[in-house]
Amino acid sequence: MTEQLLEKGMLLNGQWVQAEESFFVKNPATWENVGVVPSGTAAHAKQAVDAAASAFVTWSKATAYERAAFLERWFHVIESRLEEIARVMTQEQGKPLTEAIGEVRYANSFLKWYAEEAKRVYGEIIPASVGSKRLLVQKQPVGVVAAVTPWNFPAAMITRKVAPALAAGCTVVIKPAEHTPLTALLLAECAQEAGIPEGVINIVTTLHPAEVVDTWMEDSRVKKITFTGSTPVGKLLMRKAADTVKKVSLELGGLAPFIIAEDANLDEAVQGVMQSKFRNAGQTCVCANRIYVHENIKDEFLEAFTQAVADLRVGNGLDEGTEIGPLINEAAVQKVKRHLEDAQAKGAAVHGEAVLASSVGHFMKPIVVSNATDDMLCMQEETFGPLAPVSIYTDDAEVVQRANNTPFGLAAYVYTQSLQKAFFFSENLEYGIVGVNDGLPSVAQAPFGGMKESGLGREGGHHGLEEFLETKYVSLNLK
Ligand SMILES: NC(=O)c1ccc[n+]([C@@H]2O[C@H](COP(=O)([O-])OP(=O)(O)OC[C@H]3O[C@@H](n4cnc5c(N)ncnc54)[C@H](O)[C@@H]3O)[C@@H](O)[C@H]2O)c1
Ligand SMILES: N[C@@H](CC=O)C(=O)O
């Protein structure tokens, strides 16, 4: 059952604002209304930038220690409301409550880490070739930042951008995905409770993403766009950013290969692939999309893997014991079905049934297909659902070539017990993230991001802070 209907406003310059139009947020497990939020317009988008530009004047001049203290307080408020935020996330997004709790903790780890890192934005002094000169390099915040985020990680994709932006001295305007605005608004409530000054964080919820985001893309006061979502929308924003030469960070789609070498520890490999493939019902940008298993271990692997998949419990994320929640909407279900039918038509063997686990809600059973070949849709497109294709390989160099034969390059995984193979694979895979014997590599202190059409820039770690800083060179002649 969905809990009490939440009615929220957008946060503009410290005020909770309504709009003429509003929309219901639906629970993908029950199709019930979870909440109702305003649908912001271009006028609200402009108000958000007005507020952020005005707040930038003081926020950028606060000391790093002052900004760090605000982030630290925000972290503590979120911690005190963790369960409440996670429950709302499960209702609007569908993921099991344990995963939602995990996501709020993960999201909050960015606040903690950047509260600490804010104090380590160092400049440089470069030796001069003229005795009277001093060459200084200073780091300064880029200015107002626009952040556009997806529905699959409604909290973490916001804090992974906003925490480093605020730490650097930037102010932000945020547009969360229309499926999951409530989690974003709860985070903003926590920021207000933590005393973060008005205008530093502004959120526009809307059913009209292009109208709101285009307003920001056209506004020369917005100095940076940071986007997480699909590759087509990322490319569109990159083109639009050109007109005002905004800085651009893009975290886009993936097509992760998961390679299980002949010498892998099979129990660990099965555990790793289960974590990677089925987190968030397969709706994670770093989810294993293509599983490559060495020919000599294929039977053993398939037996253990299909059993583990058959044991997964599908249901409403609020029900205890649920491991796979609903997909976000009907289009997501149809995409997985299309990939499954295509694989079957091209000769894949299907293990299990993808029948709906319930007549209400966007549920799909997790399913394995074996004998997958590279011409199948599920090996070429991000499935973003609980379908796991397994393909056989015989030669390490050949599987690297197959893994790299895609425009995408976000995350890749390798299971092996050989140090040589670990280096061979990690050095030759054209991916921004490689998990070696690790199905869950994402952490706040390390750089997350993709190569090729999976994105530009990095989030997390000191690399993620750099994305929100300008480098200024000052040549000081003392004579
Ligand atoms: N690389 C990463 O870190 C990462 C993380 C999470 C998700 N993703 C990717 O995100 C995708 C799933 O998310 P999605 O379906 O929400 O993506 P999406 O691109 O449809 O939407 C992402 C955001 O962009 C907005 N948007 C949509 N159309 C727009 C337009 N024309 N102009 C401006 N904004 C627009 C949406 O409202 C949403 O806020 C997958 O491809 C996934 O791999 C990547
Ligand atoms: N939450 C994911 C991001 C993509 O969906 C992660 O950080 O691992």
Side-chain angles (χ1 to χ4, degrees):
M1 263 293 276
T2 293
E3 295 168 1
Q4 186 196 352
L5 186 83
L6 294 171
E7 292 180 55
K8 301 279 179 194
M10 308 180 267
L11 185 63
L12 297 178
N13 203 23
Q15 306 299 311
W16 296 100
V17 174
Q18 293 297 333
E20 260 176 44
E21 189 190 2
S22 59
F23 62 101
F24 285 109
V25 181
K26 298 270 178 199
N27 185 334
T30 61
W31 297 340
E32 290 171 317
N33 293 328
V34 184
V36 58
V37 299
S39 182
T41 60
H44 296 110
K46 182 179 173 304
Q47 274 178 43
V49 180
D50 293 344
S54 159
F56 181 74
V57 177
T58 40
W59 183 254
S60 59
K61 295 286 180 276
T63 66
Y65 281 81
E66 288 164 337
R67 292 197 295 264
F70 280 115
L71 286 171
E72 185 77 30
R73 282 204 288 276
W74 191 10
F75 167 86
H76 286 295
V77 177
I78 289 178
E79 203 169 52
S80 70
R81 296 178 61 180
L82 194 142
E83 175 94 17
E84 172 204 346
I85 300 168
R87 289 189 83 81
V88 170
M89 186 192 295
T90 291
Q91 289 173 77
E92 68 175 351
Q93 201 276 340
K95 65 179 68 182
L97 185 58
T98 45
E99 282 193 35
I101 290 171
E103 186 189 333
V104 181
R105 289 208 176 102
Y106 174 54
N108 220 7
S109 71
F110 289 97
L111 297 185
K112 182 79 174 162
W113 203 81
Y114 283 108
E116 291 155 358
E117 197 64 6
K119 295 169 260 178
R120 289 188 272 277
V121 176
Y122 302 133
E124 284 175 69
I125 299 178
I126 298 173
S129 45
V130 174
S132 62
K133 288 196 180 182
R134 300 294 179 270
L135 313 185
L136 316 178
V137 179
Q138 296 176 355
K139 297 286 184 173
Q140 295 186 332
V142 298
V144 174
V145 171
V148 180
T149 57
W151 48 264
N152 67 337
F153 284 81
M157 297 305 96
I158 290 181
T159 57
R160 200 162 79 174
K161 298 175 185 314
V162 174
L166 264 54
C170 300
T171 54
V172 295
V173 295
I174 305 167
K175 195 211 78 61
E178 44 278 31
H179 287 99
T180 56
L182 296 169
T183 304
L185 295 171
L186 289 181
L187 294 181
E189 273 179 24
C190 294
Q192 241 193 0
E193 212 178 313
I196 292 185
E198 62 185 31
V200 171
I201 297 174
N202 306 276
I203 301 200
V204 180
T205 53
T206 186
L207 269 183
H208 312 290
E211 177 183 338
V212 166
V213 179
D214 283 354
T215 305
W216 293 343
M217 298 311 290
E218 286 158 17
D219 193 324
S220 59
R221 294 172 299 168
V222 175
K223 301 296 183 201
K224 178 174 174 94
I225 170 83
T226 170
F227 171 78
T228 297
S230 62
T231 296
V233 176
K235 287 181 180 177
L236 191 73
L237 297 184
M238 193 173 172
R239 281 187 210 108
K240 290 185 175 172
D243 284 342
T244 50
V245 193
K246 294 189 200 313
K247 290 185 178 300
V248 177
S249 291
L250 301 172
E251 296 284 353
L252 309 177
L255 190 73
F258 195 111
I259 299 169
I260 305 173
E262 190 178 4
D263 66 349
N265 176 318
L266 262 193
D267 290 342
E268 287 174 12
V270 170
Q271 195 188 0
V273 79
M274 292 298 291
Q275 288 171 327
S276 167
K277 175 68 237 180
F278 295 109
R279 191 156 64 109
N280 200 15
Q283 303 170 109
T284 303
C285 56
V286 290
C287 267
N289 209 90
R290 304 168 281 160
I291 302 164
Y292 296 101
V293 183
H294 194 277
E295 187 176 31
N296 294 348
I297 54 164
K298 67 172 192 297
D299 294 334
E300 234 181 308
F301 170 78
L302 260 182
E303 193 185 334
F305 183 48
T306 49
Q307 185 56 56
V309 173
D311 290 346
L312 286 171
R313 273 175 289 181
V314 181
N316 186 323
L318 287 183
D319 294 343
E320 206 166 324
T322 293
E323 292 163 299
I324 301 280
L327 300 193
I328 193 71
N329 56 24
E330 187 52 28
V333 172
Q334 289 309 323
K335 185 173 191 188
V336 181
K337 284 189 175 166
R338 203 166 63 248
H339 281 197
L340 179 61
E341 283 160 13
D342 173 78
Q344 264 180 304
K346 289 176 179 156
V350 179
H351 305 259
E353 275 182 85
V355 290
L356 297 185
S358 157
S359 54
V360 177
H362 305 293
F363 290 99
M364 262 205 105
K365 277 192 169 178
I367 191 156
V368 178
V369 298
S370 60
N371 300 335
T373 49
D374 293 353
D375 60 335
M376 294 175 182
L377 285 179
C378 59
M379 301 292 278
Q380 296 180 353
E381 289 178 8
E382 192 179 37
T383 305
F384 236 53
L387 171 72
V390 179
S391 189
I392 307 307
Y393 82 92
T394 50
D395 176 72
D396 291 347
E398 167 235 323
V399 80
V400 166
Q401 193 267 329
R402 288 172 68 194
N404 287 342
N405 189 19
T406 161
F408 301 102
L410 184 56
Y413 305 87
V414 179
Y415 272 68
T416 174
Q417 297 189 78
S418 142
L419 195 56
Q420 265 123 342
K421 281 185 195 286
F423 273 101
F424 170 77
F425 283 116
S426 58
E427 286 173 2
N428 288 290
L429 285 164
E430 295 163 359
Y431 288 82
I433 303 160
V434 182
V436 179
N437 298 327
D438 187 2
L440 291 173
S442 314
V443 286
Q445 66 272 31
F448 184 105
M451 295 181 180
K452 302 198 271 186
E453 295 187 17
S454 286
L456 282 180
R458 293 294 179 266
E459 292 185 337
H462 67 85
H463 320 78
L465 190 53
E466 281 294 325
E467 304 279 340
F468 297 95
L469 293 167
E470 282 284 10
T471 298
K472 184 180 278 178
Y473 161 51
V474 179
S475 176
L476 186 63
N477 195 339
L478 301 171
K479 83 173 173 210

